[in-house]
Amino acid sequence: MACFFRRRVALQLAEVCGLSEDVFIPLISAVPVSKKQSAADLCVSVKRLLQNGAVAAGGDLQSKTQALANQMKRDAVVEEVSAGRGVILFRLNKLILAQKLLEQLRSEPDVFGVKSELLHHLQGGRTLVEFSSPNIAKKFHAGHLRSTIIGNFIANLKKALGKEVIRVNYLGDWGMQFGLLGAGFERFGSQEKLRTQPLEHLFEVYVQVNREAERDESVRSAAAEFFRRLEQNEDQALALWRQFREITVDEYKRIYQRLGVHFDHYSGEAFHHHQTQNVLDVLMSQGLLKTTEKGTAVVDLSEAGDMSSYATLVRSDGTSLYITRDVAAALDRKQRFGFDEMIYVTDKSQTVHFQQLFHILQTMGHQWTERCVHVAFGLVQGMSTRRGEVVFLEDVLEEARSRMLNNMRQSSSERKYFLITLLPVDIGDVQTVIVFYSVLMFIKCVCQDFRGPLMSDYKFDWDKVLQAHGDTGVFLQYTHARLCSLLRRHASETHSCCDVSPLVDSRSVSVLQHLLRYDEVLLQSANELQPRHLVIFLMTLSHLAASAHRELPVKGSSAAVAQARLCLFSAVRSVLANGMRILGITPVEKM
Ligand code: ARG
């Protein structure tokens, strides 16, 4: 509905500047509530008008701003136009603002914001998001957890914007480590343990065999032999490998479910390993693959063609590498899924890898590589549990659970009291489990992570993560649950249409003005593929809702006032819930 108002302002601008209205739509933005000195709702920067050729260059910016503001017409919707510092400010009729916003939120709560004109160019098409992608028998480290949360957010956001989304988990399920693992398992593996504690057992075997391989040549050659058997598709070796993979995938599926994350495809390096020869043949026929003196095969990535930068695709022993399999995987995905864009989410240590990957694909003549993106994020330091360094995702979940229980036991606040009563040591209640896991999903999103740029590293701190006060996931849940409870209590008084005239007080207006920004926030999040814009928006919305809840009572107010306020609270609840779902948090109705 923000578009309705943007259109009205665009109309005024078009008349004065003599260009089509559409030019102005993306240039108009809602004034953030925190920055409001005036009662303006929308604004347009004169610098941006200049950049877009809507006004002629030259002259003093401020007098230009003033002159433009003076020329604009006022009408029933745009009540006042004034000049700020380099911006033209538009004040909307507050009753119409309330009416339009609440009307839309009542009739189509789920599409609010996402169907905005501002986002039209982002709608439609198919997006492949590859995220999480842990390695079999190795640690599921903090980077994998971060990739899971960020990738899930990106997939949810794209979906909300109307794209067809394919979620892919690309497992590290091939390579020399499987030679070691296979040889190790043949020595000290246990089928029994593999069934009961698959991830732990595989890791244990892997660590042990690595240790032995360091000092024992025979272990090394057994590993090389096992890997050779794998590469030659030998039945017995493959059966064991398949068992490791299947068991691992089943375990991960169970854990992802706890987090509310799902994948459409579990692919992996092994699957594409068989396609690497094909890729090499193509590269060869294109004259792009060069054999070096060392016997490796490389692709020259330098501008000057002097091999000052290159990628190795074949080792001297003839085996393929991580990047070779990635080239094969990208080509295969393009063919199978026909995606319009592909997004990879990993920590920034793989930035060069993806640059090289895209470069190779580009050199092979695949134009669509322009629509491939690597979303990189910084490293997480110091994420450990009481048992030591984090090895398994499940350890993090358990640690969070026990710390949260502990926190809550020690707290006296009413809110935490509620939580304690709901959270027995053995979690049974489904709602509680959801609260807990959505907090966990939000672990790094809010406290330390999602508020800042993804690229910065940060130090993990359990205490900050799990605190229930301040800007945390718990706060969003709490606000949502309170709004639900208010709406439940007054269910009989909530009617479908309402008179918005009681909503002109400053609290209500702030909430409405903030809702006006939602589509812009989604646009920013989608452009940058960064969750922080949405996180900050939802936090502010929760704060505004909390003070509105405090100061705008429903109980004891006249029927008309109560009705209007319930309408407002219901609107806030919808937007909060929609935004939380995009972040990957399931909103709870009770706490
Ligand atoms: N398994 C890899 C790792 O843990 C991440 C895979 C990233 N995706 C890719 N297509 N290379 O480091």
Side-chain angles (χ1 to χ4, degrees), residues 130 133 135 144 170 322 326 344 346 350 353-354:
E130 188 225 273
S133 308
N135 304 315
H144 292 124
Y170 182 71
Y322 180 52
D326 253 326
Y344 296 89
T346 78
Q350 303 206 25
H353 167 78
F354 284 104

mmCIF file of all heavy atoms in Angstrom, residues 130 133 135 144 170 322 326 344 346 350 353-354, ligand 1:
data_model
loop_
_atom_site.group_PDB
_atom_site.id
_atom_site.type_symbol
_atom_site.label_atom_id
_atom_site.label_comp_id
_atom_site.label_asym_id
_atom_site.label_seq_id
_atom_site.Cartn_x
_atom_site.Cartn_y
_atom_site.Cartn_z
ATOM 1 N N GLU A 130 22.156 -22.362 -2.709
ATOM 2 C CA GLU A 130 22.937 -23.473 -2.163
ATOM 3 C C GLU A 130 23.497 -23.035 -0.828
ATOM 4 O O GLU A 130 24.201 -22.033 -0.742
ATOM 5 C CB GLU A 130 24.067 -23.829 -3.139
ATOM 6 C CG GLU A 130 24.785 -25.097 -2.722
ATOM 7 C CD GLU A 130 26.289 -24.966 -2.810
ATOM 8 O OE1 GLU A 130 26.830 -25.219 -3.889
ATOM 9 O OE2 GLU A 130 26.907 -24.620 -1.788
ATOM 10 N N SER A 133 25.673 -27.021 3.368
ATOM 11 C CA SER A 133 26.741 -27.802 2.734
ATOM 12 C C SER A 133 27.874 -28.293 3.637
ATOM 13 O O SER A 133 29.042 -27.972 3.407
ATOM 14 C CB SER A 133 27.346 -26.988 1.566
ATOM 15 O OG SER A 133 26.331 -26.550 0.708
ATOM 16 N N ASN A 135 30.418 -31.200 5.501
ATOM 17 C CA ASN A 135 31.230 -32.291 4.961
ATOM 18 C C ASN A 135 31.034 -33.549 5.793
ATOM 19 O O ASN A 135 31.075 -33.486 7.022
ATOM 20 C CB ASN A 135 32.703 -31.902 5.005
ATOM 21 C CG ASN A 135 32.953 -30.604 4.280
ATOM 22 O OD1 ASN A 135 32.441 -30.393 3.176
ATOM 23 N ND2 ASN A 135 33.693 -29.705 4.895
ATOM 24 N N HIS A 144 29.198 -23.381 8.978
ATOM 25 C CA HIS A 144 28.085 -24.123 8.384
ATOM 26 C C HIS A 144 26.760 -23.687 9.009
ATOM 27 O O HIS A 144 25.748 -23.575 8.323
ATOM 28 C CB HIS A 144 28.278 -25.639 8.582
ATOM 29 C CG HIS A 144 29.429 -26.201 7.810
ATOM 30 N ND1 HIS A 144 30.444 -26.894 8.412
ATOM 31 C CD2 HIS A 144 29.730 -26.162 6.491
ATOM 32 C CE1 HIS A 144 31.324 -27.274 7.486
ATOM 33 N NE2 HIS A 144 30.915 -26.837 6.316
ATOM 34 N N TYR A 170 24.842 -28.934 -0.709
ATOM 35 C CA TYR A 170 25.921 -29.542 -1.504
ATOM 36 C C TYR A 170 26.936 -30.157 -0.551
ATOM 37 O O TYR A 170 27.845 -29.489 -0.064
ATOM 38 C CB TYR A 170 26.545 -28.437 -2.347
ATOM 39 C CG TYR A 170 27.651 -28.847 -3.292
ATOM 40 C CD1 TYR A 170 27.378 -29.599 -4.442
ATOM 41 C CD2 TYR A 170 28.959 -28.440 -3.073
ATOM 42 C CE1 TYR A 170 28.392 -29.934 -5.323
ATOM 43 C CE2 TYR A 170 29.975 -28.769 -3.955
ATOM 44 C CZ TYR A 170 29.685 -29.520 -5.079
ATOM 45 O OH TYR A 170 30.683 -29.837 -5.955
ATOM 46 N N TYR A 322 38.233 -29.887 -5.885
ATOM 47 C CA TYR A 322 37.006 -29.233 -5.404
ATOM 48 C C TYR A 322 36.417 -28.330 -6.482
ATOM 49 O O TYR A 322 35.229 -28.391 -6.800
ATOM 50 C CB TYR A 322 37.407 -28.455 -4.146
ATOM 51 C CG TYR A 322 36.330 -27.669 -3.431
ATOM 52 C CD1 TYR A 322 35.128 -28.259 -3.051
ATOM 53 C CD2 TYR A 322 36.549 -26.328 -3.079
ATOM 54 C CE1 TYR A 322 34.176 -27.524 -2.351
ATOM 55 C CE2 TYR A 322 35.611 -25.605 -2.384
ATOM 56 C CZ TYR A 322 34.418 -26.195 -2.022
ATOM 57 O OH TYR A 322 33.482 -25.466 -1.333
ATOM 58 N N ASP A 326 32.942 -28.287 -8.749
ATOM 59 C CA ASP A 326 32.032 -27.143 -8.704
ATOM 60 C C ASP A 326 31.664 -26.658 -10.110
ATOM 61 O O ASP A 326 30.530 -26.235 -10.342
ATOM 62 C CB ASP A 326 32.640 -25.991 -7.884
ATOM 63 C CG ASP A 326 31.935 -25.855 -6.539
ATOM 64 O OD1 ASP A 326 30.719 -26.105 -6.477
ATOM 65 O OD2 ASP A 326 32.606 -25.492 -5.546
ATOM 66 N N TYR A 344 25.342 -18.874 -3.784
ATOM 67 C CA TYR A 344 26.122 -19.769 -2.922
ATOM 68 C C TYR A 344 26.366 -19.045 -1.606
ATOM 69 O O TYR A 344 26.760 -17.879 -1.622
ATOM 70 C CB TYR A 344 27.491 -20.045 -3.528
ATOM 71 C CG TYR A 344 27.528 -20.780 -4.848
ATOM 72 C CD1 TYR A 344 27.484 -20.095 -6.053
ATOM 73 C CD2 TYR A 344 27.668 -22.170 -4.882
ATOM 74 C CE1 TYR A 344 27.574 -20.769 -7.268
ATOM 75 C CE2 TYR A 344 27.767 -22.849 -6.095
ATOM 76 C CZ TYR A 344 27.716 -22.147 -7.279
ATOM 77 O OH TYR A 344 27.816 -22.816 -8.473
ATOM 78 N N THR A 346 28.632 -19.211 1.714
ATOM 79 C CA THR A 346 29.704 -19.818 2.535
ATOM 80 C C THR A 346 30.493 -18.712 3.236
ATOM 81 O O THR A 346 30.337 -17.538 2.911
ATOM 82 C CB THR A 346 30.759 -20.609 1.714
ATOM 83 O OG1 THR A 346 31.654 -19.682 1.101
ATOM 84 C CG2 THR A 346 30.134 -21.492 0.661
ATOM 85 N N GLN A 350 36.172 -18.720 1.254
ATOM 86 C CA GLN A 350 36.013 -19.323 -0.077
ATOM 87 C C GLN A 350 35.784 -18.287 -1.176
ATOM 88 O O GLN A 350 35.408 -18.641 -2.303
ATOM 89 C CB GLN A 350 34.867 -20.332 -0.052
ATOM 90 C CG GLN A 350 35.085 -21.405 0.991
ATOM 91 C CD GLN A 350 34.383 -22.717 0.670
ATOM 92 O OE1 GLN A 350 34.111 -23.035 -0.478
ATOM 93 N NE2 GLN A 350 34.098 -23.489 1.699
ATOM 94 N N HIS A 353 37.845 -18.902 -4.243
ATOM 95 C CA HIS A 353 37.339 -20.103 -4.919
ATOM 96 C C HIS A 353 36.164 -19.751 -5.847
ATOM 97 O O HIS A 353 36.126 -20.155 -7.007
ATOM 98 C CB HIS A 353 36.915 -21.149 -3.881
ATOM 99 C CG HIS A 353 36.110 -22.281 -4.449
ATOM 100 N ND1 HIS A 353 36.697 -23.321 -5.138
ATOM 101 C CD2 HIS A 353 34.770 -22.515 -4.471
ATOM 102 C CE1 HIS A 353 35.745 -24.164 -5.537
ATOM 103 N NE2 HIS A 353 34.572 -23.697 -5.149
ATOM 104 N N PHE A 354 35.203 -18.990 -5.312
ATOM 105 C CA PHE A 354 34.028 -18.677 -6.135
ATOM 106 C C PHE A 354 34.355 -17.680 -7.247
ATOM 107 O O PHE A 354 33.797 -17.775 -8.340
ATOM 108 C CB PHE A 354 32.862 -18.218 -5.262
ATOM 109 C CG PHE A 354 32.219 -19.380 -4.552
ATOM 110 C CD1 PHE A 354 32.441 -19.608 -3.200
ATOM 111 C CD2 PHE A 354 31.447 -20.297 -5.255
ATOM 112 C CE1 PHE A 354 31.884 -20.707 -2.561
ATOM 113 C CE2 PHE A 354 30.883 -21.404 -4.627
ATOM 114 C CZ PHE A 354 31.099 -21.599 -3.277
HETATM 115 N N1 ARG B 1 31.492 -28.341 1.840
HETATM 116 C C1 ARG B 1 32.158 -27.082 1.722
HETATM 117 C C2 ARG B 1 32.820 -26.701 3.057
HETATM 118 O O1 ARG B 1 32.412 -27.155 4.071
HETATM 119 C C3 ARG B 1 31.224 -25.960 1.353
HETATM 120 C C4 ARG B 1 30.608 -26.120 -0.008
HETATM 121 C C5 ARG B 1 30.277 -24.805 -0.630
HETATM 122 N N2 ARG B 1 29.661 -24.910 -1.887
HETATM 123 C C6 ARG B 1 30.276 -25.146 -3.050
HETATM 124 N N3 ARG B 1 29.538 -25.261 -4.128
HETATM 125 N N4 ARG B 1 31.569 -25.219 -3.132
HETATM 126 O O2 ARG B 1 33.746 -25.945 3.055
#
